[in-house]
C-alpha cells in the first residue's frame, strides 16, 4: 500500500492533519495542501494516485480544482470531501471527474475500502488495456501481398462496398470481432 500516493487538499488545519494521520496509519503515503494553489503546484511536480479534495477551499472551489488537476494528471482519482451535503453538489462533483463524494467527518474505514475499490478497478482497467493492445498488435501483421494492398487502397475502403473493408474483416473468422469479444467476455 505504501506505493499508493494520496494528496489531501483541506483548508482546515485540524481536519487536514487528523485525516492525514489516520490515512497514514492505514499504510498509505500521504501529503497535504492547505489550498488549491499549493495543491496544483504539488500535482505538477509529483504524481498522486488519489486526491482528497475539500469542496470549499479559500482560493478555489474544489470542483474547479479537480478540473485543473485532471488536466495536469489524468490518472489521478479525485474524491470530494465536504461538510455540506447536497445532491446537486454531488452530481456536479461526479461530472467534474470525482470518483465519489464523502461527508465529513470522513469515516477512515469507508475511505480505505473506497481506495481499495479504486485500486482494483485501476488494475483491472490496466490489464484490460494491455490485453486489448496485445490483441490489436497480433492483428497487425505486415502485408506483403501486392493484390491485398491494391484492394485495400481503392473501393475496399468503403465499409460495405462490393469489397468493403468491414466485409473483409467480418468474413475472416475470429479476426477482429473475435478479439473484441474475447477482451470483454473472455
Amino acid at each position: 500500500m505504501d506505493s499508493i500516493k494520496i494528496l489531501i487538499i483541506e483548508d482546515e488545519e485540524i481536519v487536514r492533519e487528523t485525516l492525514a494521520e489516520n490515512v497514514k496509519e492505514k499504510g498509505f503515503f500521504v501529503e497535504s495542501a492547505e489550498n488549491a494553489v499549493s495543491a496544483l503546484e504539488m500535482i505538477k511536480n509529483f504524481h498522486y494516485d488519489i486526491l482528497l479534495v475539500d469542496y470549499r477551499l479559500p482560493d478555489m472551489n474544489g470542483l474547479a480544482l479537480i478540473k485543473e488537476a485532471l488536466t495536469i494528471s489524468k490518472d489521478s482519482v479525485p474524491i470530494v470531501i465536504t461538510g455540506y451535503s447536497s445532491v446537486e453538489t454531488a452530481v456536479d462533483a461526479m461530472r467534474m471527474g470525482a470518483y465519489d463524494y464523502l461527508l465529513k467527518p470522513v469515516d477512515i474505514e469507508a475511505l480505505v475500502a473506497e481506495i481499495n475499490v479504486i485500486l482494483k478497478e485501476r488494475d483491472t482497467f490496466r490489464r484490460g488495456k494491455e490485453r486489448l493492445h496485445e490483441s490489436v498488435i497480433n492483428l497487425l501483421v505486415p502485408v506483403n501481398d501486392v493484390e491485398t494492398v491494391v484492394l485495400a487502397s481503392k473501393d475496399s475502403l468503403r465499409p460495405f462496398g462490393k469489397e468493403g473493408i468491414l466485409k473483409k474483416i467480418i468474413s475472416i473468422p475470429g479476426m477482429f470481432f473475435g478479439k473484441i469479444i474475447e477482451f470483454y467476455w473472455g
Side-chain angles (χ1 to χ4, degrees), residues 118-180:
I118 291 168
L119 298 176
K120 182 179 178 188
E121 287 177 1
R122 182 180 68 179
D123 291 343
T124 301
F125 175 73
R126 283 183 181 162
R127 280 194 311 275
K129 205 168 144 182
E130 289 169 4
R131 284 181 60 196
L132 180 61
H133 179 73
E134 289 170 8
S135 295
V136 169
I137 292 300
N138 289 336
L139 291 175
L140 300 177
V141 178
V143 177
N144 295 325
D145 182 348
V146 174
E147 182 180 351
T148 303
V149 173
V150 170
L151 286 173
S153 66
K154 293 170 76 183
D155 294 333
S156 61
L157 292 177
R158 289 181 291 160
F160 291 105
K162 181 179 176 188
E163 294 291 324
I165 193 75
L166 288 180
K167 282 188 176 180
K168 287 183 180 184
I169 290 173
I170 292 168
S171 70
I172 301 171
M175 180 176 164
F176 185 71
F177 295 107
K179 294 291 185 181
I180 291 174

Side-chain angles (χ1 to χ4, degrees), residues 7-43:
L7 177 61
I8 298 171
I9 304 110
E10 167 64 60
D11 60 320
E12 294 179 48
E13 184 178 3
I14 189 74
V15 174
R16 183 177 63 247
E17 288 177 0
T18 303
L19 188 55
E21 185 179 309
N22 289 330
V23 173
K24 280 181 188 176
E25 286 177 5
K26 297 297 179 180
F28 297 104
F29 172 87
V30 178
E31 290 187 330
S32 59
E34 63 184 323
N35 58 47
V37 172
S38 60
L40 289 171
E41 193 61 37
M42 293 171 78
I43 293 167

Side-chain angles (χ1 to χ4, degrees), residues 88-140:
E88 182 180 306
T89 305
V91 170
D92 288 344
M94 300 303 170
R95 283 186 186 145
M96 284 296 171
Y99 182 84
D100 204 351
Y101 181 88
L102 303 175
L103 294 176
K104 293 179 190 176
V106 176
D107 178 342
I108 298 302
E109 296 306 319
L111 177 61
V112 169
E114 188 90 8
I115 291 169
N116 288 329
V117 168
I118 291 168
L119 298 176
K120 182 179 178 188
E121 287 177 1
R122 182 180 68 179
D123 291 343
T124 301
F125 175 73
R126 283 183 181 162
R127 280 194 311 275
K129 205 168 144 182
E130 289 169 4
R131 284 181 60 196
L132 180 61
H133 179 73
E134 289 170 8
S135 295
V136 169
I137 292 300
N138 289 336
L139 291 175
L140 300 177

